[in-house]
Amino acid sequence: MSFRAKLFLLFLATVLASVSAVSYSVTHYTRAAYEEADTQRTQALVEQFQKEFAQQRELVARQVENVSNSEVTLKMAIDLQRSNADQSLYVRDAAGAAQEHGLNFMEFVIADGTLISSAQYPARVGFKETWVTSGKDWNGTEAFLRREELPNEVAVALTAVRTQPNVTQPFYAIGGRRLDQNFLASLVAPAGMRTLLYLNLDQSFVPGDITSATGAVDQPERFAPIIEKIQKQPSPMAQTIQWNEDAASAEVFHVLPLTGRNGELLGALLVGSSRGDLVLLTRHIMKISAVVAAAAMLAGLLLTWWVSARITRPIEELAEGARDVAAGHWNTRIQLTGRDETGQLAAAFNHMTQTLTTQRERLVQTERVAAWRELARRLAHELRNPLFPLQITVENMQRARQLKHEQFLEVFNESTATLKAELANLNSIVNRFSDFSKMPSPEFSRVDVNEAIRSAVRLFEPQFHEVGKPTTATEYFLKEGLPEIDADSELLHKAFQNLVLNALDAMPAGGTLTFRTAETQSGIRIEVSDTGKGLTPEECSRLFTPYYTTKQQGTGLGLAIVQSVVSDHRGTISVSSEESHGTTFRIELPRRQPGVTAKKLPLSSAADQSAATPETAAASD
């Protein structure tokens, strides 16, 4: 086996081991971090739900208090204080109060516990409600769950009791809302969550007693183990249900026991959170890891081949040079650098042949220097500033010649990558300057500005929510019914994209991008706002100057193009900003262009705009 083959296998094994370890670590730790974040999110949503349920309790208590403090209730209470009062006059008052205040249940009870009026069970009028007279101060208590007897069934209600404060003897108002499908519908569930209700009115589990905000529940028998556990131990718990073989169908249910005033279990509220997003993300990470690992292995294969070739090439060149000298080519040179043994051997070899070609080398060197000087004189004027980073990189490579061979290779790789990037950047700058000098005249047609904004922003949606990068939120305050204006849809599209790119550059840590449109007396107004770091007054005054930029890698043409487009449309653009408080661009465009007969934009043009990409349609500022 040759020396090159041995080095190749050694480097390849090292690269494969490193890539495998990195891929496993990224997959494992990313999944663990997401699972922890998902658990925290679910817990936060459950707490939010508990707060929502508590608000419902406060609402019921407030409604019952309104009934108790109403003028009608006060008159009833005063009249019933008389010994000869006719109680039958108020039999139907509870039903009216319940309907007026949005309650399902309503009852009025006098001081001795006698039921005077009942909205839900009129036949029980005259019965004693001894439990209500046992309470000393109902006005200070919150709503509680209570088993409610009805003519044909038994229900669970969120009940509150209040007394009329302006009478000498207690007069009780008992009201509540029924816990059922309508009650669940009043609880707002975030996306990816749902709420279920099970009323524990039977000793054994009854699948038909579990319901959701939309009605019946699929596969209700799957909830039997959860309900049985909560019946044995009525405390909050969580359990996962796997609905089918697909792991993405898993759903975590947080069960909250619903107990009465005396601690008796009356039901359970189940808050379900889907695990589909976590499973799908895990699968996506696995796929990306596999692709990255394959790409890294391929790159490692090429890299090891290149490294092994770089290491063995000096020896091969030295052997070839020795053969050339033996054949009579006394001007042979070995182009090797470094302080290692290979470099020293090459230096000795070159010194041996140097005396044979002294005069010829001087002539070649003189011609070479003259050619480089002439080239430098011609290029210095046009490319002095763009070539500065290239000069720095070359100097770094020259200094690296004094390093060890491995360090030299590392610096060499980094430097060549920098050279390629700077050359590509130089080429891009030249092309963009050329495009800016050839801005076309607008071809006017009737354009819907709101749709043009949505179309331009739609192209950036993947960047707004790219995994692993800060999220950019978008807010639209677009006035509906805006009149169409005379504009060049393609140029307007490019201007909006430049504004979005400028906003994204101003918000490296994410933020909110806001779009507003409004109709003015002469046309329309467009506002694009970001929550970035803002600009100074001096920067605002020079922002639209061509080739002026506040960015390290910018060309200074993006906003200049926007101003050019607005100016060609006989409009105006202005900017307002405050440091650390974001920036707002305002564009005023006329409704009609004088002396122009605008045509309706063809459907094909709109489709072409939607197909454009931000990289080709807009220039970075």
Side-chain angles (χ1 to χ4, degrees):
M1 183 180 294
S2 65
F3 181 60
R4 174 178 293 188
K6 292 179 181 179
L7 288 177
F8 177 80
L9 293 177
L10 177 61
F11 278 107
L12 181 60
T14 303
V15 170
L16 290 179
S18 301
V19 169
S20 300
V22 171
S23 298
Y24 172 78
S25 300
V26 170
T27 303
H28 175 74
Y29 289 110
T30 302
R31 180 175 182 176
Y34 187 88
E35 287 180 348
E36 182 180 356
D38 183 73
T39 300
Q40 295 175 355
R41 168 182 170 272
T42 303
Q43 185 62 34
L45 294 177
V46 171
E47 293 176 357
Q48 177 184 345
F49 234 98
Q50 291 174 332
K51 292 180 181 179
E52 186 78 18
F53 189 78
Q55 291 177 358
Q56 291 292 331
R57 299 175 67 168
E58 294 178 1
L59 177 61
V60 170
R62 187 166 56 251
Q63 291 173 329
V64 175
E65 187 172 354
N66 292 338
V67 173
S68 176
N69 295 335
S70 66
E71 184 177 354
V72 175
T73 304
L74 176 60
K75 291 180 180 180
M76 183 194 317
I78 294 174
D79 184 52
L80 291 174
Q81 301 292 315
R82 296 184 296 106
S83 59
N84 59 346
D86 186 3
Q87 298 178 356
S88 63
L89 297 176
Y90 305 103
V91 172
R92 299 183 180 277
D93 283 21
Q99 182 177 4
E100 180 180 356
H101 292 272
L103 297 172
N104 302 120
F105 306 110
M106 193 70 224
E107 292 180 340
F108 292 114
V109 178
I110 59 178
D112 61 358
T114 303
L115 181 62
I116 300 302
S117 179
S118 176
Q120 65 271 18
Y121 204 161
R124 295 187 71 252
V125 171
F127 280 73
K128 295 289 186 177
E129 296 283 2
T130 56
W131 66 272
V132 73
T133 59
S134 62
K136 295 182 179 180
D137 184 13
W138 286 105
N139 289 335
T141 61
E142 61 181 8
F144 56 91
L145 292 177
R146 177 172 174 262
R147 183 186 179 99
E148 193 70 47
E149 299 288 343
L150 300 177
N152 299 319
E153 58 177 329
V154 179
V156 175
L158 188 59
T159 305
V161 180
R162 292 292 183 267
T163 58
Q164 168 53 238
N166 299 314
V167 293
T168 57
Q169 298 181 5
F171 183 81
Y172 304 95
I174 308 171
R177 293 184 61 190
R178 181 170 183 166
L179 264 69
D180 56 7
Q181 179 178 344
N182 294 330
F183 181 83
L184 290 180
S186 66
L187 300 177
V188 180
M193 297 189 67
R194 61 170 176 164
T195 56
L196 307 177
L197 181 66
Y198 181 81
L199 301 181
N200 187 32
L201 304 178
D202 296 309
Q203 294 297 326
S204 60
F205 174 73
V206 179
D209 286 348
I210 189 167
T211 183
S212 67
T214 58
V217 178
D218 294 336
Q219 306 181 46
E221 65 280 356
R222 299 290 298 275
F223 293 94
I226 300 178
I227 300 302
E228 291 172 356
K229 286 184 180 180
I230 205 70
Q231 287 175 333
K232 294 178 181 178
Q233 185 177 2
S235 60
M237 58 171 291
Q239 187 164 333
T240 302
I241 294 181
Q242 184 80 28
W243 293 107
N244 53 48
E245 296 179 356
D246 187 3
S249 67
E251 190 172 7
V252 178
F253 284 94
H254 290 258
V255 187
L256 308 177
L258 303 178
T259 57
R261 187 166 59 96
N262 297 321
E264 70 278 13
L265 183 65
L266 299 177
L269 183 68
L270 295 88
V271 182
S273 176
S274 174
R275 300 279 289 179
D277 291 342
L278 173 60
V279 174
L280 294 177
L281 178 61
T282 302
R283 291 175 180 173
H284 186 63
I285 291 174
M286 294 295 291
K287 292 179 181 178
I288 292 178
S289 298
V291 173
V292 171
M297 289 181 182
L298 178 59
L301 182 65
L302 298 176
L303 179 62
T304 54
W305 177 85
W306 181 80
V307 170
S308 63
R310 290 283 299 178
I311 293 177
T312 58
R313 186 180 298 120
I315 300 176
E316 294 175 352
E317 290 183 359
L318 186 59
E320 182 66 24
R323 285 192 291 269
D324 290 342
V325 172
H329 303 291
W330 303 104
N331 59 346
T332 301
R333 294 289 185 274
I334 303 299
Q335 301 297 328
L336 296 178
T337 58
R339 293 184 176 181
D340 58 1
E341 291 78 1
T342 304
Q344 294 174 5
L345 183 59
F349 181 89
N350 291 335
H351 180 71
M352 179 186 65
T353 59
Q354 184 176 6
T355 56
L356 302 176
T357 57
T358 301
Q359 296 301 324
R360 181 180 178 184
E361 182 63 26
R362 289 178 180 176
L363 178 60
V364 172
Q365 185 67 23
T366 302
E367 293 176 351
R368 185 179 300 168
V369 171
W372 277 111
R373 288 178 177 175
E374 179 65 21
L375 179 60
R377 282 194 296 270
R378 294 188 178 186
L379 294 180
H381 179 70
E382 297 293 334
L383 302 178
R384 182 181 301 276
N385 292 333
L387 288 179
F388 182 73
L390 302 180
Q391 178 184 352
I392 296 299
T393 304
V394 172
E395 291 175 355
N396 289 338
M397 293 177 64
Q398 290 176 339
R399 285 193 296 268
R401 296 176 60 183
Q402 307 303 321
L403 301 176
K404 294 183 179 180
H405 187 67
E406 292 77 5
Q407 295 175 329
F408 170 75
L409 289 179
E410 181 179 358
V411 174
F412 181 81
N413 292 336
E414 293 177 355
S415 299
T416 53
T418 302
L419 289 173
K420 292 179 180 179
E422 291 298 331
L423 289 173
N425 183 44
L426 178 61
N427 184 61
S428 175
I429 292 174
V430 172
N431 289 338
R432 287 171 180 169
F433 285 179
S434 177
D435 291 340
F436 180 67
S437 66
K438 297 184 293 185
M439 285 291 290
S441 300
E443 297 182 3
F444 294 103
S445 61
R446 296 294 170 85
V447 176
D448 184 343
V449 173
N450 289 345
E451 182 58 32
I453 292 175
R454 293 189 185 98
S455 176
V457 177
R458 194 178 299 121
L459 301 176
F460 295 89
E461 290 295 337
Q463 294 177 240
F464 293 161
H465 307 286
E466 187 174 355
V467 176
K469 292 186 178 181
T471 302
T472 300
T474 54
E475 294 182 353
Y476 295 92
F477 299 94
L478 308 180
K479 182 177 180 180
E480 299 298 332
L482 277 181
E484 295 183 335
I485 66 171
D486 294 343
D488 187 317
S489 59
E490 183 176 351
L491 293 180
L492 208 60
H493 199 264
K494 180 181 295 185
F496 291 152
Q497 287 189 357
N498 274 288
L499 291 176
V500 174
L501 286 172
N502 186 78
L504 290 176
D505 289 340
M507 299 184 294
T512 302
L513 186 56
T514 305
F515 300 88
R516 293 183 176 87
T517 57
E519 186 174 3
T520 62
Q521 184 176 2
S522 59
I524 61 171
R525 181 189 302 114
I526 305 164
E527 293 184 3
V528 180
S529 303
D530 62 61
T531 57
K533 60 183 180 181
L535 301 169
T536 64
E538 180 183 358
E539 290 174 338
C540 290
S541 63
R542 303 179 59 190
L543 202 58
F544 299 104
T545 303
Y547 312 133
Y548 172 77
T549 179
T550 60
K551 306 177 183 65
Q552 186 175 3
Q553 301 297 330
T555 63
L557 295 177
L559 294 178
I561 290 176
V562 175
Q563 186 185 46
S564 176
V565 171
V566 173
S567 177
D568 290 343
H569 285 72
R570 299 179 183 273
T572 60
I573 182 171
S574 60
V575 59
S576 60
S577 180
E578 185 178 351
E579 289 189 82
S580 303
H581 291 81
T583 304
T584 298
F585 291 88
R586 294 180 180 85
I587 298 176
E588 301 275 352
L589 294 177
R591 187 178 294 108
R592 294 289 175 263
Q593 297 291 334
V596 173
T597 302
K599 58 184 178 179
K600 191 68 176 180
L601 182 65
L603 294 178
S604 59
S605 297
D608 293 341
Q609 289 180 25
S610 299
T613 61
E615 290 79 8
T616 58
S620 174
D621 189 19

